[in-house]
Amino acid sequence: IGGVGNAKGSLDGVGTKLKADEIKAWMRTPKEMTEKTKAPRKPVMRNYSTLPKADIEALVAYMANLKKH
C-alpha cells in the first residue's frame, strides 16, 4: 500500500477492484480464489483463515476502503 511492499501484489485500489466478500474469500481460501480467477500470482497468497473473525472483518473493512481516486 502506498508503494510499500511487493509491487506485484499491490493493494492500492483493492476496494475499487473487489467487493468485500471477494476480499474475504481471498483471505480465507486463497488457493481456490487463485484457481477461480486464474490469477498468475506466485507464490499463492497465504491463508489467513486462522485469524479471529473480528480481525478478518476489520481487515476486510480497511481494504474495502482502499479506493483509487
Side-chain angles (χ1 to χ4, degrees):
I1 300 172
V4 177
N6 185 345
K8 290 182 182 178
S10 174
L11 294 175
D12 292 320
V14 72
T16 304
K17 300 172 195 170
L18 299 174
K19 296 175 186 170
D21 61 328
E22 294 170 314
I23 295 170
K24 192 180 297 183
W26 272 105
M27 294 180 76
R28 290 186 170 161
T29 57
K31 183 178 179 191
E32 289 82 356
M33 288 299 289
T34 298
E35 292 169 1
K36 178 181 175 182
T37 62
K38 296 178 179 37
R41 186 152 157 67
K42 302 284 184 209
V44 174
M45 187 175 121
R46 182 178 156 219
N47 183 324
Y48 290 93
S49 64
T50 59
L51 289 176
K53 184 178 179 181
D55 290 350
I56 289 177
E57 294 298 329
L59 282 168
V60 170
Y62 170 71
M63 293 171 65
N65 281 305
L66 295 175
K67 310 266 184 183
K68 287 196 176 188
H69 300 286

